[in-house]
Amino acid sequence: MKYIELVDLYEAIGATTKRLEITRYLVDVLKKTPGEVIGKVVYLTQGKLYPDFAGVEMGMAEKMALRALSAATGLPLEKVERELRSKGDIGTAAENLLKAKKQATLSEKELLVRDVYDVLDKIARITGAGSVEAKVRALSGLLADAKPVEAKYIMRTVTGKMRLGIADMTILEALARAFAGKEARKVIERAYNLTSDLGDVARTLCTDGIEGIKKYHVKTGRPARMMLAQRLESAQEILEKLGKAICEWKYDGERIQIHKQGNKISMFSRRLENITGQYPDVADLARKNIKADRAIVEGECVAVDTDTGAMLPFQVLMHRRRKYGIEKAAKEFPAHMYLFDALLIENDDLTQMSLLERREILKKSIKETNGFKLAQSLISDDVREIEAFFESAIESGCEGLILKSGASGYQAGARSWLWIKLKRSYQSKMIEPIDVVIVGALMGRGRRSGSYGALLVSVYDSERDVFPTITKAGSGFTDEDLKNLPELLSPYELKHRHARVESKLEANVWFTPAVVIEVIGDELTLSPIHMCAYNRIRKDAGIAVRFPRFTHRWRKDKAPEDATNVEEIVDMYRAQLKRIAE
Ligand code: ATP
């Protein structure tokens, strides 16, 4: 397959503001993609070479990429740098310079997807002495053969700035339509949910058809997408849904899925990134205390104060999100692991078993120690007993409880009513903060001139795979935040509204949905200008957050599709109406 066919797809996607067109373009290209490269096509389209959990990052420094461009075009580095400064995007800069140059001298080759992938893969993998020179050489060779428009995407990919903003779910939808028909979407999605590897799913589907997809199981080394919880506001309401429930403390830390294969431990975050390096202490605990040779277990990792044994808030763990100095951070901010689920033990995929059975197996498969133990739990259908348990959770530094149906299997990737969280309510009418994605910005005035005055933010509509706006967030940002925001968001800047963003408001700057932050407001209101749940509660109105404040939680652990869902907002709105009526 020729690389230019992919590039044509990217150009078409970049030019449209219609989401359905994106899927249609994808289907057309996937249909004509041969089985041996379809995995690569899927990864490249998402700006990657491997699924996220493989931890292979494609982030060549811009400076290095510019040196390669200078070598490929024979232009002095200063000129190449100037072009980047004036265009603001390394892809466009490369395209322009090559266009001018190629007319004069350089020749082009017909690049295949495989050729481009192999060179990018080599660049990502070279390490050690002389690696910089070798990377620059490999990239300049590729650029010299590329058409200008191909160079645009090669440069964006190699510097980690591809950002077409195509969600996994959009690709799954396109795969289903291309190979198996729309109705097969659920089975394909399940396979993906169990292994989180879109390329692998595409390959299997293309070569073995839907029968191959039906044979998928969880596997160590490949994270399963995590099962998520809904929320309700009282134990009573939850019991009405679940009946007798397994009630567990809701720890305020980081969700971790631990994979053990012999002595090898890998750990994955809520976003399925490989975070093994961040928690060497937890890896040690898992190696010593999981008795099974092969296992996938899940739990919450919590920072603790070693002097008092008290649990510390989630934010403390963010000290672990760094490349260097982890051992020191682990000493300063030690963590404990509280386990609540098991997906695989030895050769048994447990995901279809009930939670009661999984917990029994989990209990038998680990050795409990001070830092590695089962989550506190209680099985009950008594509201008073659950409320007392809730209070003990809060006293110990937890956020509340998660009540779970004992009869349900592990529904990878689903936010169903089988797990329901119960958190402490606040006095204000909007009782819980929500996670929103930054999709646009309005320029600031006065003290804020030169930076952003407010951010246009959205929630996620998973039904339609779009990001409707819910509010403009301007308060709660420190001076330092305001100073840093333009730079932080610049990699995601777009000239027009992203095709998956729904907005009636015009922003001064638009962004590919990527950065997630937490906000809380005074209340949810109906608004004619915001698109969240538009026409759902009232005709010509959506739901908006009034007086939103940034809570200073940067949700780096969340992908844009993990932002609060429109359905949750509708539920919160209805619950608010009920509270007001009471
Ligand atoms: P979510 O993960 O549901 O998208 P969120 O990150 O905003 O949302 P919360 O609303 O705080 O999280 O609640 C869910 C999270 O609670 C889980 O993802 C997990 O990290 C954490 N958690 C803590 N204790 C438990 C438990 N006993 N069982 C399941 N999850 C737990």
Side-chain angles (χ1 to χ4, degrees), residues 357-436:
E357 289 170 296
R358 298 204 300 281
R359 281 166 36 108
E360 272 312 302
I361 298 175
L362 172 65
K363 196 167 169 188
K364 285 197 202 119
S365 311
I366 64 166
K367 193 165 96 210
E368 289 196 76
T369 64
N370 187 30
F372 195 82
K373 55 177 132 179
L374 297 174
Q376 287 280 355
S377 70
L378 166 82
I379 297 182
S380 172
D381 57 1
D382 180 315
V383 172
R384 302 245 312 261
E385 191 179 29
I386 294 174
E387 281 170 357
F389 192 55
F390 178 88
E391 288 309 321
S392 70
I394 298 282
E395 259 166 49
S396 307
C398 288
E399 287 185 300
L401 301 178
I402 301 213
L403 273 59
K404 302 179 179 176
S405 146
S408 82
Y410 188 94
Q411 301 204 337
R415 188 188 293 285
S416 67
W417 290 99
L418 299 166
W419 288 16
I420 306 176
K421 48 200 175 194
L422 179 64
K423 296 196 206 176
R424 192 211 279 288
S425 36
Y426 302 93
Q427 284 315 304
S428 72
K429 281 195 261 172
M430 188 168 165
I431 57 170
E432 272 203 64
I434 59 171
D435 297 320
V436 292

Coordinates of all heavy atoms in Angstrom, one line a residue, residues 357-436:
E357 N -17.3 -14.5 42.8 CA -16.3 -15.6 42.5 C -14.9 -15.0 42.3 O -13.9 -15.5 42.8 CB -16.8 -16.3 41.2 CG -18.0 -17.2 41.4 CD -18.5 -17.7 40.1 OE1 -18.9 -16.9 39.2 OE2 -18.4 -19.0 39.9
R358 N -14.9 -13.9 41.5 CA -13.6 -13.3 41.2 C -12.9 -12.9 42.5 O -11.7 -13.0 42.7 CB -13.7 -12.0 40.3 CG -14.3 -12.3 39.0 CD -13.9 -11.3 37.9 NE -14.3 -9.9 38.2 CZ -15.5 -9.4 38.1 NH1 -16.5 -10.2 37.6 NH2 -15.7 -8.1 38.3
R359 N -13.6 -12.3 43.5 CA -13.0 -11.9 44.7 C -12.5 -13.0 45.5 O -11.5 -12.9 46.2 CB -14.0 -11.0 45.5 CG -14.2 -9.6 45.0 CD -15.4 -8.9 45.6 NE -15.6 -9.3 46.9 CZ -15.4 -8.6 48.0 NH1 -15.0 -7.4 47.8 NH2 -15.6 -9.0 49.2
E360 N -13.3 -14.1 45.5 CA -12.8 -15.3 46.2 C -11.4 -15.8 45.7 O -10.5 -16.1 46.4 CB -13.8 -16.5 46.1 CG -14.9 -16.5 47.1 CD -14.4 -16.3 48.5 OE1 -13.6 -17.2 48.9 OE2 -14.8 -15.4 49.2
I361 N -11.4 -15.8 44.3 CA -10.1 -16.2 43.7 C -9.0 -15.3 44.0 O -7.9 -15.6 44.3 CB -10.4 -16.4 42.2 CG1 -11.4 -17.5 41.9 CG2 -9.1 -16.7 41.4 CD1 -11.8 -17.7 40.5
L362 N -9.4 -14.0 43.9 CA -8.4 -12.9 44.2 C -7.8 -13.1 45.6 O -6.6 -13.1 45.8 CB -9.0 -11.5 44.1 CG -8.2 -10.3 44.5 CD1 -6.9 -10.2 43.7 CD2 -9.0 -9.0 44.5
K363 N -8.7 -13.4 46.6 CA -8.2 -13.5 48.0 C -7.3 -14.7 48.1 O -6.3 -14.6 48.8 CB -9.5 -13.8 48.8 CG -9.3 -13.6 50.2 CD -10.6 -13.5 50.9 CE -10.4 -13.6 52.4 NZ -11.6 -13.8 53.2
K364 N -7.6 -15.8 47.4 CA -6.7 -17.0 47.5 C -5.4 -16.8 46.8 O -4.4 -17.4 47.0 CB -7.4 -18.2 46.9 CG -8.5 -18.7 47.7 CD -8.9 -20.1 47.3 CE -10.3 -20.5 47.7 NZ -11.2 -20.8 46.7
S365 N -5.4 -15.8 45.8 CA -4.2 -15.7 45.0 C -3.1 -14.7 45.5 O -2.1 -14.6 44.8 CB -4.6 -15.3 43.5 OG -5.6 -16.1 43.1
I366 N -3.5 -14.0 46.5 CA -2.5 -13.0 47.0 C -2.2 -13.3 48.5 O -2.9 -13.9 49.2 CB -2.9 -11.6 46.9 CG1 -4.2 -11.3 47.7 CG2 -3.2 -11.2 45.4 CD1 -4.4 -9.8 47.8
K367 N -1.0 -12.8 48.9 CA -0.6 -12.8 50.3 C -0.8 -11.4 50.8 O -0.2 -10.4 50.3 CB 0.9 -13.2 50.4 CG 1.3 -13.6 51.8 CD 2.6 -14.3 51.8 CE 3.7 -13.3 52.1 NZ 5.0 -13.6 51.5
E368 N -1.7 -11.2 51.8 CA -1.9 -9.8 52.2 C -0.8 -9.3 53.1 O -0.4 -10.0 54.1 CB -3.3 -9.7 52.9 CG -4.4 -9.9 51.9 CD -5.8 -9.4 52.5 OE1 -6.0 -8.2 52.6 OE2 -6.6 -10.2 52.9
T369 N -0.3 -8.1 52.9 CA 0.6 -7.5 53.8 C 0.2 -6.0 54.0 O -0.8 -5.6 53.5 CB 2.0 -7.4 53.1 OG1 1.9 -6.5 52.0 CG2 2.5 -8.7 52.6
N370 N 1.0 -5.3 54.8 CA 0.6 -4.0 55.2 C 0.3 -3.1 53.9 O -0.6 -2.3 53.9 CB 1.7 -3.4 56.1 CG 1.3 -2.0 56.6 OD1 0.1 -1.8 56.8 ND2 2.2 -1.2 56.8
G371 N 1.2 -3.2 53.0 CA 1.1 -2.3 51.8 C 0.4 -2.9 50.6 O 0.3 -2.3 49.6
F372 N -0.1 -4.1 50.7 CA -0.6 -4.8 49.6 C -1.8 -5.7 50.1 O -1.6 -6.8 50.6 CB 0.5 -5.7 48.9 CG 0.1 -6.2 47.5 CD1 0.3 -5.4 46.4 CD2 -0.3 -7.5 47.3 CE1 0.1 -5.8 45.1 CE2 -0.6 -7.9 46.0 CZ -0.4 -7.1 44.9
K373 N -3.0 -5.2 50.0 CA -4.1 -5.9 50.6 C -5.4 -5.7 49.9 O -5.5 -4.8 49.0 CB -4.2 -5.7 52.1 CG -4.4 -4.2 52.4 CD -4.6 -4.1 53.9 CE -3.7 -3.1 54.5 NZ -3.7 -2.8 55.8
L374 N -6.4 -6.5 50.2 CA -7.7 -6.3 49.6 C -8.4 -5.0 50.1 O -8.1 -4.6 51.2 CB -8.6 -7.5 50.0 CG -8.2 -8.8 49.5 CD1 -9.1 -9.9 50.1 CD2 -8.2 -8.9 48.0
A375 N -9.2 -4.4 49.2 CA -9.9 -3.2 49.6 C -10.9 -3.6 50.7 O -11.4 -4.7 50.8 CB -10.7 -2.7 48.4
Q376 N -11.1 -2.6 51.7 CA -12.1 -2.8 52.7 C -13.4 -3.1 52.1 O -13.8 -2.3 51.2 CB -12.2 -1.6 53.6 CG -11.0 -1.3 54.5 CD -11.1 -2.2 55.8 OE1 -12.0 -2.9 56.0 NE2 -10.0 -2.2 56.5
S377 N -14.1 -4.1 52.6 CA -15.4 -4.3 52.0 C -16.5 -4.8 52.9 O -16.1 -5.3 54.0 CB -15.3 -5.3 50.8 OG -15.0 -6.5 51.3
L378 N -17.7 -4.8 52.5 CA -18.8 -5.2 53.3 C -19.9 -5.6 52.3 O -20.2 -4.9 51.4 CB -19.3 -4.0 54.1 CG -20.7 -4.0 54.8 CD1 -20.5 -4.8 56.1 CD2 -21.2 -2.6 55.0
I379 N -20.6 -6.8 52.6 CA -21.7 -7.1 51.8 C -23.0 -6.8 52.6 O -23.1 -7.3 53.7 CB -21.6 -8.6 51.4 CG1 -20.3 -8.9 50.6 CG2 -22.8 -9.1 50.6 CD1 -20.1 -10.3 50.1
S380 N -23.8 -6.0 52.0 CA -25.0 -5.6 52.8 C -26.1 -5.1 51.9 O -25.9 -4.6 50.8 CB -24.5 -4.5 53.7 OG -25.6 -3.9 54.4
D381 N -27.3 -5.1 52.5 CA -28.4 -4.4 51.8 C -29.2 -3.6 52.8 O -30.3 -3.2 52.7 CB -29.4 -5.5 51.2 CG -30.0 -6.5 52.2 OD1 -29.6 -6.3 53.4 OD2 -30.7 -7.3 51.8
D382 N -28.4 -3.2 53.8 CA -29.0 -2.4 54.9 C -28.5 -0.9 54.8 O -27.2 -0.7 55.0 CB -28.6 -3.0 56.2 CG -29.1 -2.3 57.4 OD1 -29.0 -1.0 57.4 OD2 -29.6 -2.9 58.4
V383 N -29.4 0.0 54.5 CA -28.9 1.4 54.3 C -28.1 2.0 55.5 O -27.1 2.6 55.3 CB -30.2 2.3 54.1 CG1 -29.8 3.8 54.0 CG2 -30.9 1.9 52.8
R384 N -28.6 1.7 56.7 CA -27.9 2.3 57.9 C -26.5 1.7 58.0 O -25.6 2.4 58.3 CB -28.7 2.0 59.2 CG -30.1 2.6 59.1 CD -30.4 3.7 60.1 NE -30.0 3.5 61.4 CZ -30.9 3.1 62.4 NH1 -32.2 2.9 62.1 NH2 -30.5 3.0 63.6
E385 N -26.4 0.4 57.8 CA -25.1 -0.2 57.9 C -24.2 0.3 56.8 O -23.0 0.6 57.1 CB -25.3 -1.7 57.7 CG -24.0 -2.5 58.0 CD -24.3 -4.0 57.8 OE1 -25.1 -4.4 56.9 OE2 -23.6 -4.8 58.5
I386 N -24.7 0.6 55.6 CA -23.9 1.1 54.5 C -23.5 2.5 54.8 O -22.3 2.9 54.6 CB -24.6 1.0 53.2 CG1 -24.8 -0.5 52.8 CG2 -23.8 1.7 52.1 CD1 -25.6 -0.8 51.6
E387 N -24.4 3.3 55.4 CA -24.0 4.7 55.7 C -22.9 4.7 56.8 O -22.0 5.6 56.7 CB -25.3 5.4 56.2 CG -26.1 5.9 55.0 CD -27.5 6.4 55.3 OE1 -27.9 6.4 56.5 OE2 -28.2 6.8 54.4
A388 N -23.0 3.9 57.7 CA -21.9 3.8 58.8 C -20.6 3.4 58.1 O -19.5 4.0 58.5 CB -22.3 2.8 59.9
F389 N -20.7 2.5 57.2 CA -19.5 2.1 56.5 C -18.9 3.2 55.7 O -17.7 3.4 55.6 CB -19.8 0.9 55.6 CG -18.6 0.1 55.0 CD1 -17.6 -0.4 55.8 CD2 -18.5 -0.1 53.6 CE1 -16.5 -1.1 55.3 CE2 -17.5 -0.7 53.1 CZ -16.5 -1.2 53.9
F390 N -19.8 4.0 55.1 CA -19.4 5.2 54.3 C -18.7 6.2 55.2 O -17.6 6.7 54.8 CB -20.7 5.8 53.8 CG -20.5 7.1 53.0 CD1 -20.2 7.1 51.6 CD2 -20.6 8.4 53.6 CE1 -20.0 8.2 50.9 CE2 -20.4 9.5 52.9 CZ -20.1 9.5 51.5
E391 N -19.2 6.4 56.4 CA -18.5 7.4 57.3 C -17.1 6.9 57.7 O -16.2 7.7 57.8 CB -19.4 7.5 58.6 CG -20.6 8.4 58.4 CD -20.4 9.7 57.7 OE1 -19.4 10.4 58.0 OE2 -21.2 10.1 56.9
S392 N -17.0 5.6 57.9 CA -15.7 5.1 58.3 C -14.7 5.2 57.1 O -13.5 5.5 57.3 CB -15.7 3.6 58.7 OG -16.0 2.8 57.6
A393 N -15.2 5.1 55.9 CA -14.4 5.3 54.7 C -13.9 6.8 54.6 O -12.7 7.0 54.5 CB -15.1 5.0 53.4
I394 N -14.8 7.7 54.8 CA -14.5 9.1 54.8 C -13.4 9.5 55.9 O -12.4 10.1 55.6 CB -15.7 10.0 55.0 CG1 -16.7 9.8 53.9 CG2 -15.4 11.5 55.1 CD1 -16.4 10.4 52.6
E395 N -13.7 9.0 57.1 CA -12.8 9.2 58.2 C -11.4 8.8 57.9 O -10.4 9.4 58.3 CB -13.2 8.5 59.4 CG -14.0 9.4 60.4 CD -14.7 8.5 61.4 OE1 -14.0 7.6 62.0 OE2 -15.9 8.7 61.6
S396 N -11.3 7.7 57.1 CA -9.9 7.1 56.8 C -9.3 7.8 55.6 O -8.2 7.4 55.2 CB -10.0 5.7 56.6 OG -10.7 5.0 57.6
G397 N -9.9 8.8 55.1 CA -9.3 9.5 54.0 C -9.8 9.1 52.6 O -9.2 9.4 51.6
C398 N -10.8 8.2 52.6 CA -11.3 7.8 51.3 C -12.4 8.8 50.8 O -12.8 9.6 51.6 CB -12.0 6.4 51.4 SG -10.8 5.1 51.6
E399 N -12.8 8.6 49.5 CA -13.8 9.6 49.0 C -15.2 9.1 49.2 O -16.1 9.9 48.9 CB -13.6 9.7 47.5 CG -12.4 10.5 47.0 CD -12.3 10.6 45.5 OE1 -12.3 9.5 44.9 OE2 -12.4 11.7 45.0
G400 N -15.4 7.9 49.6 CA -16.7 7.4 49.8 C -16.7 5.9 49.5 O -15.8 5.2 49.9
L401 N -17.8 5.4 48.9 CA -17.8 3.9 48.6 C -18.1 3.7 47.1 O -18.6 4.6 46.4 CB -19.0 3.3 49.4 CG -19.0 3.4 50.9 CD1 -20.3 2.8 51.4 CD2 -17.8 2.8 51.5
I402 N -17.7 2.5 46.7 CA -18.3 2.0 45.4 C -19.1 0.8 45.7 O -18.6 -0.1 46.4 CB -17.1 1.7 44.4 CG1 -16.3 2.9 44.2 CG2 -17.7 1.1 43.1 CD1 -15.7 3.1 42.9
L403 N -20.3 0.8 45.3 CA -21.2 -0.4 45.5 C -21.3 -1.2 44.3 O -21.4 -0.6 43.2 CB -22.6 0.1 46.0 CG -22.7 0.3 47.5 CD1 -21.8 1.4 48.0 CD2 -24.2 0.7 47.8
K404 N -21.1 -2.5 44.4 CA -21.0 -3.3 43.2 C -21.9 -4.5 43.2 O -22.2 -5.0 44.3 CB -19.5 -3.8 43.0 CG -18.5 -2.7 43.0 CD -17.1 -3.3 42.9 CE -16.1 -2.2 42.8 NZ -14.7 -2.7 42.8
S405 N -22.4 -4.8 42.0 CA -23.3 -6.0 41.9 C -22.4 -7.3 42.1 O -21.4 -7.4 41.3 CB -24.0 -6.0 40.6 OG -24.2 -7.3 40.1
G406 N -22.7 -8.1 43.0 CA -21.9 -9.3 43.2 C -22.0 -10.3 42.0 O -21.2 -11.2 41.8
A407 N -23.1 -10.2 41.3 CA -23.4 -11.2 40.3 C -22.8 -10.9 38.9 O -22.8 -11.7 38.0 CB -24.9 -11.3 40.1
S408 N -22.2 -9.7 38.7 CA -21.8 -9.3 37.4 C -20.4 -9.7 37.0 O -19.5 -9.8 37.8 CB -21.9 -7.8 37.3 OG -20.8 -7.2 37.8
G409 N -20.2 -9.9 35.7 CA -18.9 -10.2 35.2 C -18.1 -8.9 35.1 O -18.6 -7.8 35.4
Y410 N -16.9 -9.0 34.7 CA -16.0 -7.8 34.5 C -16.3 -7.2 33.1 O -16.0 -7.8 32.1 CB -14.6 -8.1 34.6 CG -13.7 -6.9 34.7 CD1 -13.3 -6.3 35.9 CD2 -13.2 -6.3 33.5 CE1 -12.5 -5.2 35.9 CE2 -12.5 -5.2 33.5 CZ -12.1 -4.6 34.7 OH -11.3 -3.5 34.7
Q411 N -17.0 -6.1 33.1 CA -17.4 -5.5 31.8 C -16.3 -4.5 31.4 O -16.4 -3.3 31.7 CB -18.7 -4.8 31.9 CG -19.8 -5.8 32.3 CD -21.2 -5.4 31.8 OE1 -21.4 -4.2 31.6 NE2 -22.1 -6.3 31.7
A412 N -15.3 -5.0 30.7 CA -14.2 -4.2 30.3 C -14.6 -3.0 29.5 O -15.4 -3.1 28.6 CB -13.2 -5.0 29.5
G413 N -14.1 -1.8 29.9 CA -14.4 -0.6 29.2 C -15.8 0.0 29.3 O -16.1 1.0 28.8
A414 N -16.6 -0.7 30.2 CA -18.0 -0.2 30.2 C -18.2 0.6 31.5 O -17.7 0.3 32.6 CB -19.0 -1.3 30.2
R415 N -19.1 1.6 31.4 CA -19.5 2.3 32.6 C -21.0 2.0 32.8 O -21.9 2.6 32.2 CB -19.4 3.8 32.4 CG -19.6 4.6 33.7 CD -19.7 6.1 33.4 NE -18.4 6.7 33.0 CZ -17.4 6.9 33.8 NH1 -17.5 6.7 35.1 NH2 -16.3 7.4 33.3
S416 N -21.2 0.9 33.5 CA -22.6 0.4 33.6 C -23.1 0.6 35.0 O -22.4 1.1 35.9 CB -22.6 -1.1 33.3 OG -22.0 -1.8 34.3
W417 N -24.4 0.2 35.2 CA -25.0 0.4 36.6 C -24.6 -0.8 37.5 O -25.3 -1.0 38.5 CB -26.5 0.6 36.4 CG -26.8 1.9 35.8 CD1 -27.1 2.2 34.5 CD2 -26.8 3.2 36.5 NE1 -27.3 3.5 34.3 CE2 -27.1 4.2 35.5 CE3 -26.5 3.6 37.8 CZ2 -27.2 5.5 35.8 CZ3 -26.6 5.0 38.1 CH2 -27.0 5.9 37.1
L418 N -23.6 -1.5 37.2 CA -23.2 -2.6 38.0 C -22.2 -2.2 39.1 O -22.1 -2.9 40.1 CB -22.6 -3.7 37.1 CG -23.5 -4.3 36.1 CD1 -22.8 -5.1 35.0 CD2 -24.6 -5.1 36.8
W419 N -21.6 -1.1 38.8 CA -20.7 -0.4 39.9 C -21.3 1.0 40.0 O -21.4 1.7 39.0 CB -19.3 -0.3 39.4 CG -18.5 -1.6 39.3 CD1 -19.0 -2.9 39.4 CD2 -17.1 -1.7 39.2 NE1 -18.0 -3.8 39.3 CE2 -16.8 -3.1 39.2 CE3 -16.0 -0.8 39.2 CZ2 -15.5 -3.6 39.1 CZ3 -14.7 -1.3 39.0 CH2 -14.5 -2.7 39.0
I420 N -21.6 1.4 41.2 CA -22.1 2.7 41.4 C -21.3 3.4 42.6 O -21.2 2.8 43.7 CB -23.6 2.7 41.8 CG1 -24.3 1.9 40.6 CG2 -24.2 4.1 41.9 CD1 -25.8 1.7 40.9
K421 N -20.9 4.6 42.3 CA -20.1 5.3 43.4 C -21.0 6.2 44.2 O -22.0 6.8 43.7 CB -18.9 6.0 42.8 CG -19.2 6.9 41.6 CD -17.9 7.2 40.8 CE -18.2 8.0 39.6 NZ -17.1 8.0 38.6
L422 N -20.6 6.3 45.4 CA -21.3 7.1 46.4 C -20.3 8.0 47.1 O -19.4 7.5 47.8 CB -22.0 6.2 47.4 CG -22.8 6.8 48.6 CD1 -24.0 7.6 48.0 CD2 -23.3 5.8 49.6
K423 N -20.4 9.3 46.8 CA -19.4 10.2 47.3 C -20.1 11.2 48.3 O -21.3 11.3 48.2 CB -18.7 11.0 46.2 CG -17.9 10.2 45.2 CD -17.0 11.2 44.4 CE -16.7 10.6 43.1 NZ -15.9 11.6 42.3
R424 N -19.3 11.8 49.1 CA -19.9 12.8 50.0 C -20.4 14.0 49.3 O -19.9 14.4 48.3 CB -18.7 13.3 51.0 CG -19.3 14.0 52.2 CD -18.4 15.1 52.6 NE -17.3 14.6 53.5 CZ -17.5 14.2 54.7 NH1 -18.6 14.1 55.3 NH2 -16.4 13.9 55.5
S425 N -21.6 14.5 49.7 CA -22.1 15.6 48.9 C -21.7 16.9 49.6 O -21.5 16.9 50.8 CB -23.6 15.5 48.8 OG -24.2 14.9 49.9
Y426 N -21.7 17.9 48.8 CA -21.3 19.2 49.4 C -22.5 20.1 49.5 O -23.6 19.7 49.1 CB -20.3 19.9 48.4 CG -19.1 19.1 48.1 CD1 -19.1 18.2 47.1 CD2 -18.0 19.2 49.0 CE1 -17.9 17.4 46.9 CE2 -16.9 18.4 48.8 CZ -16.9 17.5 47.8 OH -15.8 16.7 47.6
Q427 N -22.3 21.3 50.1 CA -23.5 22.1 50.3 C -24.0 22.8 49.0 O -25.2 23.0 48.9 CB -23.2 23.2 51.3 CG -23.1 22.7 52.8 CD -24.3 21.8 53.0 OE1 -25.5 22.2 52.9 NE2 -24.1 20.5 53.4
S428 N -23.1 23.1 48.1 CA -23.5 23.8 46.9 C -24.4 22.9 46.1 O -24.5 21.7 46.3 CB -22.3 24.2 46.1 OG -21.8 23.1 45.5
K429 N -25.2 23.6 45.2 CA -26.2 22.8 44.5 C -25.5 21.8 43.5 O -26.0 20.7 43.3 CB -27.1 23.7 43.8 CG -28.2 24.3 44.7 CD -29.3 24.9 44.0 CE -29.1 26.4 43.9 NZ -30.0 27.1 43.0
M430 N -24.4 22.2 43.0 CA -23.7 21.2 42.1 C -22.8 20.4 43.1 O -21.9 21.0 43.6 CB -22.9 21.9 41.1 CG -22.3 20.9 40.1 SD -21.6 21.8 38.7 CE -20.7 20.4 38.0
I431 N -23.1 19.2 43.3 CA -22.4 18.5 44.4 C -21.1 17.8 44.0 O -20.4 17.5 44.9 CB -23.4 17.4 45.0 CG1 -23.8 16.5 43.9 CG2 -24.5 18.1 45.7 CD1 -24.5 15.3 44.5
E432 N -20.9 17.7 42.7 CA -19.7 17.0 42.4 C -18.9 17.7 41.3 O -19.6 18.2 40.3 CB -20.0 15.6 41.8 CG -20.1 14.6 42.9 CD -19.9 13.2 42.3 OE1 -18.8 12.9 41.8 OE2 -20.8 12.4 42.3
P433 N -17.6 17.7 41.3 CA -16.9 18.3 40.2 C -17.0 17.4 38.9 O -17.4 16.2 39.1 CB -15.4 18.3 40.7 CG -15.4 17.4 41.8 CD -16.7 17.2 42.3
I434 N -16.8 17.9 37.8 CA -16.8 17.1 36.6 C -15.5 17.2 35.8 O -14.8 18.2 36.0 CB -18.0 17.4 35.7 CG1 -17.9 18.9 35.3 CG2 -19.3 17.1 36.3 CD1 -19.0 19.3 34.2
D435 N -15.2 16.3 34.9 CA -14.0 16.3 34.1 C -14.4 16.8 32.7 O -15.3 16.2 32.1 CB -13.4 15.0 34.0 CG -12.9 14.5 35.4 OD1 -12.4 15.3 36.2 OD2 -13.1 13.3 35.7
V436 N -13.7 17.9 32.3 CA -14.1 18.4 31.0 C -12.8 18.5 30.1 O -11.7 18.6 30.6 CB -14.7 19.8 31.1 CG1 -16.0 19.8 31.8 CG2 -13.7 20.8 31.9

